[in-house]
Amino acid sequence: MVAVFNKELLSWYLITLKLRETLESGISSSPNSNSGSRSTEFTQQQQSLQRESSESLQVIINEDGENLQEEARSPVPEWVISMREKLEQACQDDVASSWAKLSIYKIPHYLRDSSGDDKAYTPQIVSLGPYHHGKKRLRQMERHKWRSLNHVLKRTNHDIRLYLDSMKEIEERARSCYDGPISLSSNEFVEMLVLDGCFVLELFRGATEGFEQLGYSRNDPVFAIRGSMHSIQRDMIMLENQLPLFVLDRLLGIQLGNPDQKGLVAGLVVRFFDPLMPTDEPLTKSHRNKLKSSLNRRETFDPLSDQGGVHCLDVFRRSLLRTGPQPTPRIWIKRRSHANRVADKRRQQLIHCVTELKEAGINFKKRKTDRFWDIKFKDGILRMPRLLIHDGTKSLFLNLIAFEQCHFDCSNDITSYVIFMDNLINSPEDVGYLHYCGIIEHWLGSDAEVADLFNRLCQEVVFDINDSYLSPLSEAVNRYYNHRWNTWLASLRHNYFSNPWAIISLVAAVVLLLLTFAQTYYTIYGYYRPAQ
């Protein structure tokens, strides 16, 4: 059986059939029949065939050419065909996409627009990964990437095919880590993994072992500890500028002769990005010994959790949060599960600002620890670790917040801390007081810039107050703040005990009041009980 859908062929086929039938009937008819009537009949049949051929028909014929079935069908509108094509494409995308493996995200437009600083998310010197690959302003660093790869091959006596074949094996896994389709071909993507990965590892190892030990000149423009290194570090910590950690682990394992090793890169990441830490407090002795031993013995160093990070930004975030178990958030509204509830934008206020808390009698003191987020509150004293703010702090916090917003298997501890600081700081006066207490140290132009920085960091951020590790502390602070007796005592101390002269004036006023009371008492007493 054959199905024919072409209108032109169908039209000529039907016309031919009718002509044959007409001719056969004409031959068998009487010779005295009117030729004019036959002509009129033929013309009517031809017009009828033309009307039929203008419709979309489906004719099924067999191999002998016999007409078995004719069926008229209405034409399908183009917009319906377009919708079907889009649905088929959506189905293919849903099958091809592996959302569970996604870990390197493109910054959502609402976060990028609200920050007001596109440079905080976009690399300015070096590109890593496919998102910014090949951009014109970043091509200058490409020749230095090829230099780093050449150094690796010379130092290890390896052939480039060893690295290319290894990356080819994990190409699909690496592609699944990125958001959206990657326009690079298979060869281009594998080349990018090898080139960018070796470049990153040379920087990591050079910062730890020394660049001269790796064969670089002391005056090298890139592979040396100099001013440009800070800008390179800031580019390499951006969310859109990441390579999967398992790619770096595989490349480093090949260089060391053990391709299946895992975890060595994490320790190098922590050492390399240490200058970006938002605190200048030294590491505690236990953490310093742990880091040093892991680097010397090349053991796995995972700063916080029991599972490895997905890329360098994730590893650095875990190193910032290294600690014991996090406090369990308490439920503020009702005792029910909030796991499936959409975050309420109306309940993002954790705590009052510094000025208001001071008026309620809450004092601020610096807490000595390298964990900048580890805040404590007890007996009306809010103890906060020192926070160092430099020109790279904004980009660092924005990318950490963006990762916590995008990645499902990720806590919101950095977001909780930044929103807490945003609540505390409403004005330059709040920054000035925290600076006076030794809690904030900044290298920006003014206290107003610091206040504006925190007020812009969490705009359009989705945050659930019930999932914050600071919610129990905030609840305790707010209870203290709402107690009127504490406010009255604070007002008394502020108005009458803020300086020695105010204290002297208060004492003099009290003495004068007592003397006046005594004089009044004895005057009345003498009137009713005169001396005998």
Side-chain angles (χ1 to χ4, degrees):
M1 304 295 290
V2 180
V4 180
F5 293 94
N6 190 291
K7 289 183 178 182
E8 295 181 357
L9 293 177
L10 178 63
S11 176
W12 284 111
Y13 172 73
L14 293 175
I15 291 173
T16 304
L17 289 178
K18 292 297 182 181
L19 284 174
R20 188 176 65 179
E21 292 175 0
T22 303
L23 291 175
E24 290 176 353
S25 63
I27 294 173
S28 61
S29 64
S30 147
N32 296 327
S33 61
N34 192 345
S35 62
S37 63
R38 289 201 307 268
S39 176
T40 303
E41 182 182 359
F42 176 77
T43 303
Q44 292 177 351
Q45 292 176 353
Q46 187 176 16
Q47 292 176 353
S48 176
L49 288 173
Q50 290 177 353
R51 285 196 302 269
E52 291 177 359
S53 64
S54 63
E55 298 178 355
S56 175
L57 302 178
Q58 181 180 15
V59 179
I60 301 177
I61 61 176
N62 60 11
E63 296 178 355
D64 297 331
E66 288 185 279
N67 182 6
L68 298 182
Q69 181 180 359
E70 297 183 6
E71 181 181 356
R73 288 173 44 183
S74 59
V76 180
E78 293 184 0
W79 64 276
V80 175
I81 297 176
S82 176
M83 288 187 62
R84 288 175 178 173
E85 292 176 352
K86 292 178 180 178
L87 286 173
E88 290 178 0
Q89 183 63 38
C91 183
Q92 294 175 3
D93 292 343
D94 208 21
V95 172
S97 300
S98 53
W99 309 112
K101 299 178 182 179
L102 185 61
S103 60
I104 303 175
Y105 305 86
K106 290 183 178 179
I107 302 296
H109 66 88
Y110 62 88
L111 291 180
R112 188 185 295 273
D113 295 341
S114 64
S115 68
D117 185 7
D118 188 64
K119 291 183 178 180
Y121 298 112
T122 307
Q124 303 298 309
I125 295 180
V126 59
S127 69
L128 302 174
Y131 292 154
H132 301 277
H133 180 76
K135 290 188 175 180
K136 185 176 180 180
R137 69 174 183 276
L138 304 176
R139 291 176 185 172
Q140 185 177 358
M141 190 60 66
E142 294 300 308
R143 64 188 185 94
H144 297 294
K145 292 181 182 179
W146 286 105
R147 287 200 306 118
S148 68
L149 179 58
N150 184 51
H151 273 266
V152 170
L153 296 178
K154 284 186 176 180
R155 192 170 59 246
T156 59
N157 293 322
H158 288 158
D159 184 76
I160 186 63
R161 291 296 300 272
L162 177 62
Y163 295 86
L164 295 175
D165 293 341
S166 181
M167 292 298 101
K168 198 75 172 179
E169 295 175 0
I170 58 176
E171 177 190 356
E172 291 303 321
R173 182 184 173 192
R175 281 181 180 269
S176 65
C177 295
Y178 292 97
D179 189 6
I182 304 301
S183 59
L184 299 178
S185 66
S186 177
N187 292 338
E188 291 173 339
F189 188 79
V190 169
E191 177 185 310
M192 179 205 68
L193 292 180
V194 174
L195 195 62
D196 291 357
C198 289
F199 174 78
V200 169
L201 291 175
E202 288 295 275
L203 291 175
F204 287 172
R205 296 185 64 182
T208 303
E209 305 171 16
F211 287 103
E212 294 186 19
Q213 297 294 327
L214 298 179
Y216 294 95
S217 170
R218 186 173 60 89
N219 298 320
D220 194 286
V222 174
F223 300 96
I225 303 300
R226 56 179 67 245
S228 62
M229 185 60 68
H230 179 70
S231 299
I232 294 175
Q233 289 171 334
R234 188 166 55 185
D235 281 358
M236 291 173 60
I237 206 65
M238 293 179 179
L239 178 57
E240 291 186 351
N241 216 31
Q242 297 296 313
L243 293 172
L245 197 67
F246 63 83
V247 171
L248 299 178
D249 275 326
R250 177 71 68 90
L251 291 173
L252 182 60
I254 294 175
Q255 295 181 26
L256 301 178
N258 183 17
D260 296 329
Q261 66 80 33
K262 296 180 181 179
L264 295 183
V265 177
L268 300 175
V269 171
V270 175
R271 174 66 67 86
F272 181 76
F273 290 112
D274 182 71
L276 297 182
M277 290 278 186
T279 179
D280 57 354
E281 291 289 340
L283 286 171
T284 60
K285 186 176 181 180
S286 60
H287 286 119
R288 186 167 58 250
N289 292 337
K290 184 178 180 181
L291 176 60
K292 186 181 296 184
S293 62
S294 66
L295 292 176
N296 290 338
R297 298 198 305 265
R298 289 178 177 171
E299 295 175 350
T300 301
F301 176 72
D302 193 355
L304 178 61
S305 72
D306 56 352
Q307 61 180 14
V310 291
H311 45 65
C312 295
L313 177 64
D314 186 30
V315 173
F316 183 68
R317 175 184 169 277
R318 292 167 185 266
S319 71
L320 292 176
L321 298 174
R322 59 185 180 278
T323 182
Q326 293 288 330
T328 303
R330 297 178 61 183
I331 303 304
W332 284 44
I333 307 174
K334 295 181 179 180
R335 293 185 177 276
R336 61 178 180 177
S337 175
H338 295 269
N340 298 321
R341 186 171 62 85
V342 178
D344 192 346
K345 291 285 288 183
R346 299 169 298 177
R347 294 190 55 82
Q348 291 195 7
Q349 178 75 24
L350 283 177
I351 201 170
H352 296 273
C353 69
V354 171
T355 303
E356 294 175 350
L357 294 180
K358 282 172 53 185
E359 294 175 355
I362 296 177
N363 296 319
F364 293 80
K365 289 188 177 181
K366 175 185 173 183
R367 184 166 182 260
K368 286 191 174 183
T369 177
D370 60 312
R371 304 182 185 118
F372 67 94
W373 47 266
D374 195 6
I375 304 171
K376 303 293 183 182
F377 178 75
K378 186 178 181 181
D379 299 331
I381 300 177
L382 194 60
R383 302 182 183 275
M384 302 178 63
R386 180 183 177 91
L387 178 66
L388 180 63
I389 301 173
H390 47 75
D391 56 352
T393 301
K394 180 179 181 180
S395 177
L396 174 63
F397 277 140
L398 284 174
N399 283 275
L400 288 171
I401 292 171
F403 178 63
E404 290 186 347
Q405 290 284 292
C406 296
H407 198 55
F408 183 78
D409 298 325
C410 184
S411 65
N412 63 354
D413 294 338
I414 300 295
T415 305
S416 299
Y417 172 80
V418 174
I419 288 183
F420 184 88
M421 294 298 295
D422 179 29
N423 296 156
L424 279 181
I425 298 174
N426 280 349
S427 65
E429 289 74 20
D430 295 333
V431 177
Y433 184 76
L434 293 178
H435 175 71
Y436 172 77
C437 296
I439 295 173
I440 283 184
E441 183 69 29
H442 68 86
W443 299 347
L444 305 184
S446 63
D447 292 343
E449 291 187 33
V450 179
D452 183 68
L453 168 66
F454 279 103
N455 296 153
R456 286 179 175 271
L457 281 177
C458 286
Q459 290 183 356
E460 302 300 328
V461 169
V462 179
F463 174 74
D464 192 348
I465 192 174
N466 300 284
D467 293 333
S468 171
Y469 78 97
L470 288 169
S471 59
L473 180 141
S474 301
E475 186 180 10
V477 172
N478 290 332
R479 279 200 307 267
Y480 191 96
Y481 175 86
N482 293 327
H483 202 292
R484 289 190 176 183
W485 178 250
N486 296 324
T487 304
W488 293 339
L489 289 178
S491 177
L492 178 65
R493 287 195 297 265
H494 177 72
N495 295 327
Y496 301 105
F497 296 97
S498 58
N499 59 73
W501 305 114
I503 296 175
I504 293 174
S505 299
L506 177 64
V507 172
V510 171
V511 171
L512 181 61
L513 180 63
L514 291 176
L515 291 176
T516 302
F517 176 78
Q519 182 183 9
T520 303
Y521 172 79
Y522 283 111
T523 300
I524 297 175
Y525 184 80
Y527 176 78
Y528 288 101
R529 297 269 185 103
Q532 298 296 330

